[in-house]
Amino acid sequence: MPVGLLRERIDVVERTPLLGTGELTEDARRIVADFASYTEVTPTGAGLHILCRGALPGGASGTRRGNSEAYSSGRFFTVTGAALPDLPDEIVDAQP
């Protein structure tokens, strides 16, 4: 995890579900690959946090679609440090 994380504006995509076996679902694999940013297992072990930089459509502070949520402000979450292997250990821009 990058030093100075809390000094940056970070957006979080949360609750991309895992299967009961701990393996990523096909949708989760696709979403993680699309973001290609620091990704960790949530405290419950049932989902993921994808940390990235970007802006939500229409300047929204949060949105929910199916089993996924995205927030840019107004939320707190626990950083676990349980990073997924073979992914960047840095937080990247999610938009061009």
Side-chain angles (χ1 to χ4, degrees), residues 6-93:
L6 298 179
R7 287 181 258 156
E8 296 185 50
R9 178 174 172 248
I10 305 298
D11 299 321
V12 179
V13 177
E14 182 178 10
R15 290 178 56 187
T16 303
L18 300 172
L19 296 176
T21 62
E23 294 294 319
L24 295 177
T25 64
E26 191 59 39
D27 283 344
R29 269 192 273 281
R30 181 183 48 76
I31 292 168
V32 166
D34 286 349
F35 278 95
S37 191
Y38 176 79
T39 302
E40 64 177 26
V41 178
T42 60
T44 64
L48 301 174
H49 288 150
I50 303 171
L51 282 63
C52 57
R53 287 184 212 87
L56 295 174
S61 63
T63 186
R64 178 180 284 193
R65 187 178 300 165
N67 289 327
S68 296
E69 301 174 358
Y71 296 100
S72 61
S73 65
R75 299 285 182 178
F76 295 94
F77 67 97
T78 303
V79 176
T80 65
L84 291 186
D86 303 322
L87 287 171
D89 62 354
E90 59 189 349
I91 297 167
V92 302
D93 292 331

